[in-house]
Structure formats: C-alpha cells, structure tokens
C-alpha cells in the first residue's frame, strides 16, 4: 500500500498539471502568509526606529539598528505596562479559576441529574449566547454602577465570569462522553456526590478544561471594550486598555505606539509558540458548540 | 425551589432534617442547589436582568444619571425613531459589506485549509503565520491598521513597489467609496486564519483511507476536494456561512477601533454604542439593541429550520459515507486475506 502511494506521488511531479498545482499551492501560501504578517512586521520595523529616523525615512525602510529598544522602554513606562501586566494576570487567573469551577459544577449537575427545570436552564444559557455583548452593555453598565462594581478589579472579574457560555457547553459536551457507570460504581463504594465531582469528574474533564482555558484565556487577555468601560482609573488598566494611553496627544507618534502594541502581543505570541497544538484543537472544539 | 423544600421539611419535623440531608435524595437536592446557585445568579445578573431593563428602558427618554422618578415615558417613540433616523436603521446597510467580507473570508479559509491539509513543506509554519492575527487584541488591531492605512505608510508603500502612483491611490480610511472595504479587509485579515484552522480540523477528521483509495483510483486534488473533502465538511461550512450573517449584522469591532465610526463607517452597533455612552440617549440605544436582538433571534430560528431541512438530506448521505467506509474496510480485509493465502502457498 505505502509503496503504491509513493510511486503515485513521484509520478505526479512529472505531469504538467501537478507542477502547475504545486506552483499555485506555494504561491498562495506565500502570498497570504505575507499578507498576514505584513501589518505586524511593519509595526516591528517602526518600533525600532528613533524619532529622527521615523520622521525622515519611509515606514518600510529597515531601522538603522535592531538594538534600539528606547521606544519599548518609553512605551512601557508611559503606559505603565508593568502595572497593566499585573492587572491582566490577576484578572485572567481569577476569571479562569472561577469560571472553570462554576462551569464544571454546573455541567456536572445538568448532565447527571434529571430534575424539573433542567431543560429550561440549558435553554436559558443557550439563549444567553445569542445576545451580543456590546448590546448588553447598554444596560449592564447601569447594573454595574448600581452594584458599585465600576472601577474595581473584582467587579470586572465577576462580570467576566458571568458572561461566559461557551465553556459551559464544552463541559456539558465532554461530560456526555464520560460513562455514568463510573458514578454508579463510586456510589456503591459509598462516595458522596461531591467526591464524585471532585475526585472523578474534574480529573476526567482535564482536556475540556484545557480547551476552555485557551478559548477564554485569549478572550480575557484581549478584552478591551468592557475593561475600558468599567476600569477607567489608570492604575486599573489591563494590557489591552493600557494601549488607550496612546490615543490623543500621542496619536501620531507611531514609533512609540508600535512598540506598545508589540509589547502587548508578546505574551500571546510566546504562548502561541509554546502550545500551538492545544490552541488549534481548542479552536476546533469550541466551534462544535454552534 | 429546592431550598424551600428543605425549609418546609425543616419546619415540619426539624429533627429529621439532618437525616434527610444524609439520604441520597437529600444529597442530590443539596448538590444541585449548591452547584447551580452561583452560575444562575451570575446569569441572571448579567444577562436576564439587563435584558429586562433594556426592554423597559426602550420605552423611556432617559440618561444613565436620570433618577428613576424623572424618567419620561415615551411609548413607542424610540422604536419609531430607530426606523426613522438616518443614522440608525440605515446603518444596517453597512452590514452588507461585512456579509460579502465574511463570504470571501470563508472561501479563502476553505481554499487554504485544503492546501494545508495535503502535505506541503512548511505547512505548519504558514498555518501559524495566518492564524496568529486571531490572537491579537482588538485595540492593538486598531492601532496597527490606523498605521497601516495612513497616507504614504505601509499599504501605500507596498502598492508603490507594485508600480502604483501615490497620487492615484485613495485615502483608505477617509474616502467614503472605499473605507468600508478597508475595514472589512481588516476583519477578513483577523479571522480567516481562525476559520482555516477550524476547517483543517474538520478535514483531518475525514478517514485517511478515503484519500488513499481516491489517489489509487487516480483522482487529482481537485477531484479529491470536490468529492471527499467538500461533502464531509459541508455542515460546518454551512453553519459558518449562516453565523457570518448574524455576525455581520452585529459588526462592531473594526469600525469602533479603527475609524470610530467616522466618515460613514458607523455600523449599527457603533452608532448604538455612541448613543448610549457618549450622547447618553439610553432609551434610544436600548430600542436599537432590542430591534437588532429581534432580528438576530429571527435569523437563528430560520437557521434552525434550515438545518433541519439539510439534516434530512444529509442523513442518507451520511449513511452512504458509512457504507463506503465499510466497503473499503471489507475490501482491505479481503486483500489482506488474499495476500496471506498467497504467503501460505
């Protein structure tokens, strides 16, 4: 079988159609790959230029020195990005932790127990996923103010936990594939429901937890709309909203802005390089929900 | 509800509450309540309460700061305004740009996913390049593309390399005949990689035997795409086409971060956002939100019906696919058996 395929493949290189196709294949990959990186690469180029260079040379001219980190340092300081990284970290860790705990618990109960209202609750969550977040903020803003959650990290964290539906779906879907015989035998052994959840379900849900961490982690790290609405004090800025510092008077100093942008996407780039596989499969799994 | 049950029991025969709590039934109720209270409370506070408020506000003329007793009830006036004002309902027309963009994006994603699912050198590298924009935050994308489209900057420079004259090029974000396309292109740039990864995932779940068999039968790549890949990922493609319509109706991010809705790029949500948080016309903004939610809701129901219809078709096809697989397996087994026989002989 193998050798057959190999022979076939080798022969293919000689046909005209095969060669043209091969050319088209790589030409498209290179073209669209170029399109995908061009905007980011141009930012990197500009971020390394001095003020003078930026004023006098074309944006696509390479910088004189690739070791000129002045802009990065200046951007980091101007936008107080150290603080912003800390805030982003606090928000991300808390949101992920809380939403994993309540998400898995909810999925466990909805999947394992039949009670009146079970279907209704599922539908309530399903319907909630249809409502676009931006539209909801028109009135969520009012509620956040009434609760005294505006300009507090904890308020923003609680809100971010409350508007999450996708991961609950991932958990419910995953639960369906865990055989109920596991629960039954644990019950015979005298385990409580809490023990079943904590000792059996949670460890088995690990792949689903990784998936939802990735999807939600990307979402939370990059969230800027609500963060801008509810965390307006500069010391509460997250990484995404710290970039708002560059709006206004600094609006045309692109060498500085580009440096800030590059700093903000470095963590995402590092995580992406380290866990490509998990991210891809997370994306694929998250889409099944629709 | 379950909590009241517990309470009633406690009142009637308080002595037995602990006993009940220790029984299987009691434990079930307790665990259900304990595990659902927080998520339901959050769901109520951040989804259904605001949703109810939104419907209520849409009948009032009010600001965020207006005290509850000074709000003016105006009946359906806000809704009439939504349809009458040029800037509100008219903005939905801009969604058409985003629909077209989304379709281009899906076609592009499908094309690249097909290429990448055949073995190509550096496939993983290209996949990574094209996917990465998805991981960049909206606000960063705003800055990147303001820079990218500025007169004489990145995009103009690249076009000049290709032989265009700067004088003939439009202002990408200012010229009303082109600026919406510029924004749509940004949206395509951001999301096509994600769509592509999704499609690759779907293509990879196709049984590899099918490709092998097709290749042995001398099928070229286009035929493989047409007859193996496309049928097996039909569902996910259709789903994405439909989702892109609701997505386009609620297009918000690109115009919000790049142009802030200036020069005729304000989509429905950008205008709603501005009305709510800048001019504080909360009533009108709420009415806009409710109108769009109704439209989205209608689209979703249509989509459900459509899928039921498709499903009816797909079921028979699914069976034939399974049958095909079974047949292939049988053939393979027969081949092996034959080989084994020859070996013995």
């Amino acid at each position: 079988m193998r050798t057959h395929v190999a022979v076939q493949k080798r022969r293919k290189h000689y046909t005209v159609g095969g060669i043209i196709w091969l050319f088209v294949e790589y030409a498209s990959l290179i073209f669209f790959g170029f399109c995908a990186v061009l905007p980011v690469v141009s930012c990197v180029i500009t971020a390394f230029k001095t003020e003078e260079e930026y004023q006098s040379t074309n944006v696509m001219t390479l910088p004189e020195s690739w070791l000129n980190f002045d802009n990065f340092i200046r951007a980091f300081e101007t936008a107080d990005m150290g603080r912003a990284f800390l805030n982003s970290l606090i928000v991300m860790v808390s949101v992920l932790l809380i939403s994993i705990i309540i998400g898995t618990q909810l999925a466990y109960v909805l999947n394992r127990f039949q009670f009146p209202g079970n279907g209704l609750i599922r539908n309530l969550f399903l319907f909630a996923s249809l409502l676009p977040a931006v539209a909801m903020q028109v009135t969520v803003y009012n509620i956040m103010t009434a609760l005294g959650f505006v300009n507090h990290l904890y308020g923003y964290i609680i809100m971010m936990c409350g508007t999450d539906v996708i991961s609950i779906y991932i958990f419910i879907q995953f639960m369906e594939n865990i055989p109920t015989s596991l629960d039954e035998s644990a019950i015979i052994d005298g385990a409580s429901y809490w023990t079943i959840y904590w000792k059996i379900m949670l460890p088995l849900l690990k792949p689903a937890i990784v998936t939802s961490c990735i999807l939600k982690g990307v979402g939370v790290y990059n969230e800027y709309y609500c963060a801008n609405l509810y965390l307006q004090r500069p010391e509460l800025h997250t990484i995404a909203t710290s970039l708002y510092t560059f709006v206004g008077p600094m609006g045309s100093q692109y060498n500085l802005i580009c440096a800030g942008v590059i700093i903000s996407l470095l963590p995402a780039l590092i995580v992406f390089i380290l866990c490509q596989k998990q991210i891809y499969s997370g994306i694929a799994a998250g889409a099944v929900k629709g | 509800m379950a909590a009241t049950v517990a309470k009633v029991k406690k009142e009637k025969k308080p002595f037995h509450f602990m006993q009940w709590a220790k029984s299987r039934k009691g434990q079930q109720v307790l665990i259900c309540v304990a595990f659902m209270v927080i998520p339901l409370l959050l769901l109520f506070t951040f989804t259904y309460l605001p949703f109810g408020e939104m419907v209520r506000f849409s009948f009032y003329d009010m600001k965020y700061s207006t005290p509850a007793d000074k709000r003016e009830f105006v009946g359906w006036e806000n809704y009439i305004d939504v349809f009458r004002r040029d800037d509100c309902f008219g903005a939905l027309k801009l969604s058409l740009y985003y629909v077209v963009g989304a379709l281009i994006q899906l076609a592009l994603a499908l094309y690249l996913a097909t290429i990448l699912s055949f073995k190509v050198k550096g496939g993983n590298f290209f996949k990574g390049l094209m996917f990465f924009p998805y991981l960049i935050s909206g606000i960063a994308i705003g800055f990147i593309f303001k820079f990218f489209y500025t007169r004489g900057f990145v995009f103009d420079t690249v076009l000049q390399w290709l032989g265009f004259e700067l004088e003939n090029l439009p202002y990408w974000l200012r010229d009303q005949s082109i600026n919406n396309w510029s924004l749509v292109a940004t949206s395509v740039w951001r999301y096509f990689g994600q769509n592509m990864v999704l499609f690759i995932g779907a293509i990879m779940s196709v049984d590899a035997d099918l490709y092998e068999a097709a290749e042995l039968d001398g099928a070229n790549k286009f035929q493989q795409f047409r007859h193996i890949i496309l049928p097996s990922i039909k569902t996910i493609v259709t789903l994405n086409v439909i989702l892109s319509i609701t997505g386009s109706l609620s297009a918000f991010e690109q115009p919000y971060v790049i142009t802030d809705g200036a020069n005729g790029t304000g989509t429905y949500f950008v205008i709603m956002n501005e009305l709510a948080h800048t001019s504080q016309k909360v009533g009108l903004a709420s009415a806009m939100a409710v109108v769009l939610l109704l439209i989205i809701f209608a689209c979703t129901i249509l989509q459900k019906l459509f899928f039921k219809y498709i499903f009816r078709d797909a079921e028979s096809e699914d069976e034939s696919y399974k049958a095909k697989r079974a047949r292939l397996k049988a053939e393979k087994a027969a081949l092996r058996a034959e080989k084994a026989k020859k070996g013995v002989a």
Side-chain angles (χ1 to χ4, degrees):
Chain A
M1 217 56 168
R2 269 278 144 77
T3 51
H4 260 299
V5 176
V7 167
Q8 203 84 28
K9 278 225 171 107
R10 216 177 299 136
R11 202 188 300 150
K12 214 159 228 169
H13 284 272
Y14 293 112
T15 66
V16 180
I19 291 171
I20 292 176
W21 169 243
L22 209 69
F23 176 76
V24 172
E25 236 178 30
Y26 283 101
S28 343
L29 283 181
I30 290 168
F31 176 73
F32 289 110
F34 175 75
C35 290
V37 291
L38 176 65
V40 180
V41 167
S42 64
C43 263
V44 175
I45 291 173
T46 303
F48 281 99
K49 285 183 180 172
T50 61
E51 193 68 40
E52 214 174 299
E53 243 184 310
Y54 168 69
Q55 301 284 2
S56 57
T57 59
N58 183 288
V59 279
M60 293 304 282
T61 318
L62 297 182
E64 263 169 39
S65 149
W66 286 103
L67 294 172
N68 171 25
F69 288 104
D70 286 356
N71 291 322
F72 291 96
I73 295 165
R74 224 153 46 96
F76 195 87
E77 280 168 359
T78 327
D80 199 5
M81 288 179 118
R83 183 68 195 249
F85 269 119
L86 184 67
N87 287 336
S88 275
L89 190 72
I90 295 172
V91 169
M92 241 175 103
V93 171
S94 340
V95 171
L96 289 183
L97 214 62
I98 297 173
S99 52
I100 284 165
I101 291 174
I102 61 176
T104 49
Q105 289 183 341
L106 185 75
Y108 170 65
V109 170
L110 287 180
N111 183 265
R112 289 304 203 246
F113 301 110
Q114 288 307 316
F115 52 89
N118 187 317
L120 175 72
I121 292 175
R122 283 174 195 238
N123 282 331
L124 282 179
F125 277 98
L126 190 72
F127 183 70
S129 71
L130 289 180
L131 308 174
V134 178
M136 297 310 288
Q137 295 314 320
V138 173
T139 42
V140 169
Y141 185 78
N142 221 21
I143 290 166
M144 291 286 283
T145 319
L147 289 171
F149 278 2
V150 177
N151 273 331
H152 290 291
L153 273 187
Y154 64 81
Y156 176 67
I157 289 169
I158 293 173
M159 194 213 68
M160 290 299 280
C161 294
T163 48
D164 163 52
V165 187
I166 294 173
S167 57
I168 290 171
Y169 276 98
I170 296 174
F171 292 138
I172 290 185
Q173 234 168 28
F174 207 85
M175 287 285 299
E176 270 159 21
N177 297 326
I178 301 176
T180 43
S181 58
L182 278 178
D183 305 38
E184 282 153 17
S185 55
I187 288 175
I188 291 169
D189 289 346
S192 68
Y193 290 112
W194 168 260
T195 318
I196 294 173
Y197 161 74
W198 188 251
K199 291 261 169 70
I200 300 176
M201 293 305 151
L202 213 51
L204 283 176
L205 280 171
K206 213 181 253 167
I209 291 175
V210 172
T211 302
S212 86
C213 270
I214 286 166
L215 290 179
K216 205 163 165 80
V218 172
V220 173
Y221 181 77
N222 286 335
E223 208 287 326
Y224 65 94
Y225 180 76
C226 297
N228 185 39
L229 218 49
Y230 302 125
L231 299 174
Q232 292 182 339
R233 290 216 313 267
E235 70 268 26
L236 294 176
H237 277 172
T238 63
I239 273 300
T241 50
S242 70
L243 292 178
Y244 275 105
T245 317
F246 301 113
V247 178
M250 280 179 272
S252 57
Q253 294 184 40
Y254 276 110
N255 52 345
L256 195 62
I257 294 174
C258 285
V261 166
I262 299 300
I263 294 174
S264 82
L265 55 80
L266 270 184
L269 182 64
I270 292 168
V271 172
F272 175 58
I273 290 171
L274 291 180
C275 2
Q276 266 188 59
K277 278 227 172 75
Q278 287 89 330
I279 290 180
Y280 291 147
S281 59
I283 296 294
V288 184
K289 154 238 158 192
Chain B
M1 189 207 79
T4 58
V5 170
K7 221 185 206 172
V8 169
K9 287 225 170 174
K10 205 176 181 181
E11 276 164 15
K12 270 186 186 164
K13 13 184 178 169
F15 197 68
H16 294 296
F17 173 73
M18 285 311 288
Q19 226 171 23
W20 171 82
K22 269 185 193 151
S23 73
R24 271 288 152 208
K25 188 78 199 132
Q27 280 208 355
Q28 270 186 20
V29 174
L30 284 182
I31 199 100
C32 284
V33 172
F35 279 10
M36 288 195 313
V37 165
I38 297 175
L40 284 181
L41 201 65
L42 286 173
L43 183 71
F44 174 74
T45 323
F46 294 110
T47 304
Y48 288 99
L49 184 62
F51 185 62
E53 290 275 88
M54 187 184 288
V55 175
R56 201 163 60 88
F57 285 1
S58 68
F59 294 105
Y60 285 88
D61 184 11
M62 56 173 284
K63 291 183 174 179
Y64 284 118
S65 50
T66 321
D69 52 328
K70 292 236 175 83
R71 291 168 187 167
E72 195 187 334
F73 184 81
V74 292
W76 293 97
E77 204 171 290
N78 284 326
Y79 286 93
I80 295 167
D81 273 356
V82 169
F83 290 96
R84 213 193 285 143
R85 282 173 64 134
D86 292 338
D87 59 343
C88 294
F89 205 67
L92 270 186
K93 270 184 253 155
L94 292 186
S95 304
L96 286 179
Y97 288 102
Y98 291 86
V99 173
V100 174
L103 293 179
I104 293 173
Q105 173 187 322
L106 288 173
L108 189 62
L110 193 58
Y111 170 64
L112 291 165
T114 311
I115 291 181
L116 286 171
S117 63
F118 297 125
K119 279 181 195 79
V120 280
K121 285 215 174 67
N124 242 338
F125 172 71
F126 285 113
K127 190 173 158 189
L129 286 190
M130 292 187 259
F131 175 76
F132 185 67
Y134 179 68
L135 299 176
I136 301 175
S137 81
I139 180 77
I141 285 182
F143 282 116
I144 292 175
F145 278 91
K146 262 188 238 165
F147 174 64
F148 186 79
Y149 284 130
T150 302
R151 184 73 169 170
F153 278 18
V154 188
F155 194 41
D156 287 347
T157 308
V158 172
L159 287 178
Q160 278 171 304
W161 289 347
L162 296 176
F164 289 90
E165 294 286 332
L166 187 60
E167 295 93 71
N168 301 332
L169 294 173
Y171 283 82
W172 299 106
L173 296 176
R174 228 183 286 165
D175 191 334
Q176 300 227 4
S177 61
I178 193 91
N179 57 7
N180 278 305
W181 291 118
S182 309
L183 294 180
V184 169
T186 317
S187 173
V188 173
W189 176 81
R190 187 175 182 191
Y191 292 112
F192 85 95
Q194 188 252 7
N195 280 183
M196 183 187 78
V197 166
L198 232 157
F199 290 150
I200 291 177
I203 293 173
M204 287 303 174
S205 64
V206 176
D207 199 339
D209 285 356
L210 281 178
Y211 298 113
E212 234 172 69
E215 212 154 332
L216 279 179
D217 287 346
N220 66 26
K221 284 186 174 165
F222 179 72
Q223 286 164 328
Q224 286 183 36
F225 173 75
R226 175 76 189 73
H227 296 289
I228 305 177
I229 295 180
L230 203 56
S232 55
I233 61 170
K234 204 171 63 184
T235 328
I236 197 161
V237 173
T238 339
L239 180 74
N240 273 286
V241 170
I242 294 171
L243 281 182
S244 69
I245 294 170
T246 32
S248 305
L249 287 174
S250 42
F252 172 72
E253 283 211 54
Q254 324 307 331
Y256 176 68
V257 294
I258 300 174
T259 57
D260 206 11
N263 296 314
T265 55
T267 56
Y268 193 79
F269 268 179
V270 171
I271 290 178
M272 183 202 71
N273 175 65
E274 198 188 288
L275 282 174
H277 299 291
T278 311
S279 27
Q280 295 256 322
K281 292 190 171 152
V282 180
L284 183 59
S286 298
M288 283 184 83
V290 171
V291 168
L292 199 74
L293 290 183
L294 287 178
I295 296 175
I296 288 180
F297 198 53
C299 283
T300 311
I301 291 173
L302 281 179
Q303 161 196 336
K304 285 262 147 66
L305 291 176
F306 183 69
F307 256 79
K308 253 189 199 148
Y309 174 76
I310 285 208
F311 229 50
R312 197 201 53 192
D313 257 20
E315 228 150 72
S316 57
E317 207 158 294
D318 204 35
E319 230 169 48
S320 76
Y321 167 69
K322 267 182 200 149
K324 211 187 256 171
R325 253 175 77 174
R327 187 174 52 87
L328 266 168
K329 261 195 189 143
E331 270 170 21
K332 250 186 164 178
L335 212 76
R336 231 175 278 137
E338 219 169 298
K339 260 187 200 161
K341 238 189 239 166
K342 270 182 196 159
V344 171

